[in-house]
Amino acid sequence: MARKYSAAATTLTLIFISARLAQLRPAFGAAPDGPDGQMQMDMPGSADLGIPSYHAYALKPPFPATLDPKQFPDALNRNVYALAAKIRPVLYQQPCYCYCDRHEGHKSLLDCFVSLHGSECDICQKEAVLSYQLTQKGKTPAQIRALIIQGDWRAVNLNPYMAATNPR
């Protein structure tokens, strides 16, 4: 009798697990939607990807060097990389909302300016400019991080930094 109950419990458990696993993957035979034949997920609204990687503690010297601003032909990148070089310890403690931690392996906003990535990404540029401006106003890295997480970087105007000389 105990064997019957044990077999029935095992069968029900397997059925339950199978049903749960079926919910995690697309139905068998579903047609791919994407141009490359991959299944496309329908994600209504903006997906919350969480807070990107950052360091919650201060960086101790030596600080990683940012790329030399003089290597860039355009004023925007020369200016933003020059600002980034001045606040490396602050950038080390900031997340980057282009989510380069997931596609570039970055650990903080500073990594964007240690590489060429910051020259190609307006999100990184806006966050760096905001970090510089707030540092000049006496904000701490933690206060700056809270404002970046809040999305204040979206309102940063990069136009003044496209001039041939650094505006600050």
Side-chain angles (χ1 to χ4, degrees), residues 17-87:
I17 291 171
S18 297
R20 296 295 292 164
L21 286 174
Q23 292 175 346
L24 296 176
R25 64 178 184 79
F28 180 73
D33 303 318
D36 57 359
Q38 291 185 329
M39 183 65 63
Q40 300 293 310
M41 299 292 289
D42 181 21
M43 303 287 267
S46 62
D48 180 13
L49 299 175
I51 299 171
S53 296
Y54 67 89
H55 302 280
Y57 54 89
L59 176 64
K60 295 180 181 173
F63 306 123
T66 57
L67 295 182
D68 184 353
K70 294 174 189 167
Q71 80 179 47
F72 297 102
D74 61 299
L76 175 63
N77 281 312
R78 283 193 308 270
N79 290 330
V80 174
Y81 272 79
L83 296 179
K86 294 176 183 178
I87 59 166

Side-chain angles (χ1 to χ4, degrees), residues 12-165:
L12 287 174
T13 301
L14 290 173
I15 291 171
F16 177 74
I17 291 171
S18 297
R20 296 295 292 164
L21 286 174
Q23 292 175 346
L24 296 176
R25 64 178 184 79
F28 180 73
D33 303 318
D36 57 359
Q38 291 185 329
M39 183 65 63
Q40 300 293 310
M41 299 292 289
D42 181 21
M43 303 287 267
S46 62
D48 180 13
L49 299 175
I51 299 171
S53 296
Y54 67 89
H55 302 280
Y57 54 89
L59 176 64
K60 295 180 181 173
F63 306 123
T66 57
L67 295 182
D68 184 353
K70 294 174 189 167
Q71 80 179 47
F72 297 102
D74 61 299
L76 175 63
N77 281 312
R78 283 193 308 270
N79 290 330
V80 174
Y81 272 79
L83 296 179
K86 294 176 183 178
I87 59 166
R88 291 177 293 164
V90 174
L91 297 182
Y92 181 77
Q93 295 184 60
Q94 306 310 320
C96 184
Y97 274 90
C98 78
Y99 293 97
C100 52
D101 60 333
R102 300 184 186 162
H103 60 83
E104 298 284 332
H106 291 176
K107 302 296 181 204
S108 72
L109 184 56
L110 178 58
D111 290 339
C112 302
F113 296 94
V114 169
S115 68
L116 287 171
H117 178 76
S119 69
E120 303 164 344
C121 180
D122 68 326
I123 294 171
C124 302
Q125 293 166 351
K126 287 179 178 185
E127 288 183 6
V129 168
L130 178 66
S131 296
Y132 179 80
Q133 292 170 342
L134 294 173
T135 297
Q136 294 302 103
K137 292 179 180 179
K139 300 288 184 189
T140 67
Q143 291 169 324
I144 295 168
R145 182 169 52 251
L147 293 171
I148 287 176
I149 291 169
Q150 185 176 300
D152 286 16
W153 57 269
R154 289 182 181 101
V156 171
N157 180 5
L158 293 175
N159 288 336
Y161 298 90
M162 293 181 187
T165 59

